[in-house]
Each structure stands twice: as C-alpha cells, then as structure tokens.
Amino acid sequence: MNRIAVRSVVGGLRGGQTQNCNSYISTAVPLTPLDGAEFLHSLKGDVGTRMMSTVPQSAKTVEERRKSKSSVSDDAKKGSDRVVVSDYWGIYRPKITRGDVSEWTWNCFMPWDTYKPDLSIDLSKHHVPKMFMDRFAYRTVKVLRMPTDIFFKRRYGCRAMMLETVAAVPGIVGGMLLHLRSLRKFQQSGGWVKALLEEAENERMHLMTMVELVQPMWYERLLVLLVQGVFFNAFFVLYLLSPKLAHRIVGYLEEEAIHSYTEYLKDIDSGKIENVQAPAIAIDYWRLPKDATLRDVITVIRADEAHHRDVNHYASDIQFQGKELREAPAPFDYH
C-alpha cells in the first residue's frame, strides 16, 4: 500500500496536481504495482533530481540515465524472486547457463563447482592402528559413534544429516588454522588451505542434499547446535595441539561414515527405505542423470567420504613422518 501511495504521489508531482491523500489512494488502485528497482528508478530519475536542483531536467537526461541502468531494470522485470539492492557498486551476477542453454538456478554453487564422483574408489581401505596415537584416535571415534547408534538406530536419513553437520567442521577448522599459520610464518601452505576448505564445502553440500530428503525436527536442530558447538571447539583445540592426531581422527570418522552409508544403501535395497527421486540440487552438483534416485545420491556421497578418508589419513601420515603438510602436494579437487 505504501508503494502504491508513493507512486500516486509521484504521479501527482509530475502532473502538478494538488489532490488530497484520499484521492491519491483511490486513483492508485488500478495501477500496476512497481518492482523494487523500477520504483527506485522512478524516484531517482524524476523526483530525487528535481528536488535537489532548480533547473528543469530534460527528457533526454532521464532517458540516458535509465539506459545506463537498464541491466538492473531488466533483472528486476524477470521476476519478483530476484532482489536488486543497488547498482551503485557495479556488482551483479551475469547470466549463467547450463550445457542445454537453460538458465542456472543455484546460487550456492556454480557449474564449474560440479563434478562426477569417482565411484571406483576402494571402500574397504582401513588404516590399521599401530602406534598409541592411532589407537587413541580409533577408540575415540568408536566412543563417539555410540550415542548416534543409540539415538538414531537405523534412521539413516536423520543419522546422515547429523553426521554431515559434524563432518563439515574439520575441514574449515584445519583450513583456517593453516591459513593463519601461513600468514604468521610468511610461508606457503602447499595448497592445503584450499584442499581442506574444498573438503568442508563438499561436506556442506552433503548436508544441503540431506536436508532436501529429511526435514529435521526441532529437537534434532537443537541437538545439532549442541553437538556442533562442542565438536568445533574441541577440534579447534585438538588441531592446535596435534594436527596429525586431528587428521587421524577425521580419517577414522570418514571410515565410519562409509559404513553408515553402506548400511543406508542396504535398507534402500531391501525396501525398508523408499528409493525416492533424487533432489534437484544433487542432480546438478554431482551431474547425475535426470532420473537419478536416492540410491544414486547415497552412492556418490559414500564415494566422497572415501576420498576424504584417504586425504586425512594421508595428511596424518605426512606429519607422523616428521614433515609439514606444505612439504607434500595437496590433493586439489579430490572429492
């Protein structure tokens, strides 16, 4: 209503009319509502400039200004789902298309972030604990698994959702601390900052996919807050004290994730869990076929977890040999 009323006021100012407030509102009813950008343009192009200057503004000047901002107007006219804040900073998103020339609809990832997972990876690999630190990491992960087994049992959708909220933490913590260390010591990171941040982003995309499949209840959201708060701070301190132990724990966590997703697939194959259509976000992110199902999604997520297992055990092995991560090549784009 405010927008309609203001537009009526603008119309009155243009025509030099002196109507009362009621007549503005009544005459505004049949008018077409303005988009946000169109409304701003009408104010900037006519009212704002005239109020700040005593010189009449020519129609040519108004037209030139509108042409210079045509890109914003065009975006605003495409639909009300796009919010154009301001064109002052010159920041806008160019039109991005898929291979079939259809418009790319996602903002959380771009076409160049998508990939086809390597499903041939060996899922049975396991780092056999040899040293005390290995055994400590292995037992710690086994203890951490017990509460999830009790709470979720075989509700693997909810279990996977909770797992991904935790799995996305180590990469961001490790990448952040390596980034700060690189700045502090004036040294290159060997690419490990980027590699760990890629891992965190990949795990976050797992979560975004699972949320499309399983809508968490309020108490599950509360549980996520508690678990994430505790785990983030604990892992932060652990990575400061012993990065090699931290990576070893993550490696074993990924092994448990592979086991959980394998059990998830067994329940899908047995019919206990319906093999529904894959979410659109999963189809685009992993370049799955249009008719992909839940089973396809869980299969590619499990492959991602296997790659994360390898990366973290590899990172731990480097440091167990007395070397720093920057001395070994980081595995880029290794999902």
Side-chain angles (χ1 to χ4, degrees):
M1 178 62 73
N2 291 336
R3 184 169 59 183
I4 297 174
V6 172
R7 182 170 181 176
S8 300
V9 173
V10 173
L13 290 174
R14 288 175 178 172
Q17 300 173 2
T18 56
Q19 300 177 355
N20 58 32
C21 183
N22 292 332
S23 62
Y24 286 140
I25 296 175
S26 62
T27 56
V29 173
L31 294 178
T32 304
L34 282 171
D35 286 337
E38 292 177 327
F39 171 66
L40 289 175
H41 290 164
S42 66
L43 288 180
K44 290 180 181 178
D46 295 300
V47 178
T49 307
R50 289 179 180 271
M51 290 176 65
M52 296 175 62
S53 174
T54 58
V55 180
Q57 187 177 29
S58 65
K60 183 178 179 181
T61 305
V62 175
E63 185 64 24
E64 289 176 352
R65 179 170 296 182
R66 286 178 177 173
K67 284 183 178 180
S68 67
K69 300 176 180 179
S70 60
S71 60
V72 179
S73 299
D74 292 341
D75 286 342
K77 291 176 182 177
K78 287 180 181 178
S80 59
D81 57 330
R82 290 189 178 182
V83 180
V84 180
V85 179
S86 171
D87 63 339
Y88 176 75
W89 304 108
I91 298 175
Y92 65 96
R93 169 176 161 171
K95 184 177 181 180
I96 301 173
T97 58
R98 295 185 174 88
D100 58 359
V101 196
S102 61
E103 187 172 1
W104 185 260
T105 56
W106 303 105
N107 290 327
C108 53
F109 66 99
M110 294 292 111
W112 49 85
D113 297 322
T114 66
Y115 64 98
K116 291 185 71 68
D118 178 16
L119 301 181
S120 64
I121 189 169
D122 187 357
L123 300 173
S124 62
K125 282 185 179 179
H126 168 64
H127 182 274
V128 179
K130 299 176 181 178
M131 305 173 63
F132 169 77
M133 196 169 289
D134 288 345
R135 290 191 291 271
F136 176 80
Y138 183 74
R139 294 300 177 188
T140 299
V141 171
K142 288 297 183 181
V143 170
L144 291 175
R145 179 182 169 178
M146 292 173 61
T148 58
D149 287 342
I150 296 172
F151 187 81
F152 293 108
K153 297 181 180 179
R154 295 195 69 84
R155 294 187 298 134
Y156 285 107
C158 297
R159 186 192 189 105
M161 179 196 64
M162 174 61 69
L163 176 68
E164 298 301 344
T165 62
V166 172
V169 170
I172 200 72
V173 171
M176 175 185 66
L177 291 177
L178 287 179
H179 173 75
L180 294 176
R181 182 174 184 177
S182 175
L183 299 178
R184 190 169 61 249
K185 292 194 171 185
F186 307 99
Q187 295 175 339
Q188 294 289 343
S189 68
W192 279 94
V193 171
K194 184 175 185 295
L196 293 179
L197 293 181
E198 280 184 352
E199 177 184 312
E201 174 66 11
N202 183 244
E203 295 284 11
R204 191 183 65 83
M205 289 303 298
H206 292 178
L207 176 62
M208 296 300 101
T209 300
M210 295 310 301
V211 169
E212 293 290 326
L213 296 167
V214 182
Q215 294 298 324
M217 304 295 289
W218 68 267
Y219 56 86
E220 291 172 335
R221 292 178 180 271
L222 178 61
L223 183 61
V224 167
L225 289 175
L226 296 174
V227 171
Q228 188 183 81
V230 173
F231 185 76
F232 176 88
N233 288 284
F235 192 82
F236 179 85
V237 174
L238 176 63
Y239 204 96
L240 285 175
L241 298 176
S242 178
K244 57 186 175 184
L245 175 59
H247 281 292
R248 186 68 78 203
I249 288 177
V250 176
Y252 285 129
L253 281 173
E254 299 295 355
E255 290 184 17
E256 292 298 328
I258 295 170
H259 173 75
S260 295
Y261 282 118
T262 299
E263 293 298 313
Y264 199 163
L265 288 173
K266 287 180 180 179
D267 281 3
I268 293 175
D269 293 338
S270 65
K272 294 179 180 179
I273 298 177
E274 183 182 359
N275 191 22
V276 297
Q277 175 71 25
I281 189 172
I283 292 175
D284 284 340
Y285 183 67
W286 284 288
R287 302 178 189 173
L288 298 174
K290 298 297 182 182
D291 59 347
T293 62
L294 173 61
R295 193 185 196 288
D296 299 318
V297 174
I298 301 304
T299 300
V300 296
I301 291 179
R302 183 178 63 172
D304 285 348
E305 304 295 3
H307 286 90
H308 298 161
R309 170 204 63 192
D310 295 349
V311 170
N312 281 278
H313 280 314
Y314 171 62
S316 184
D317 288 345
I318 293 171
Q319 295 173 93
F320 266 107
Q321 295 172 12
K323 299 180 180 180
E324 295 185 7
L325 287 181
R326 64 186 182 88
E327 299 179 56
F332 290 127
D333 298 319
Y334 188 73
H335 297 293

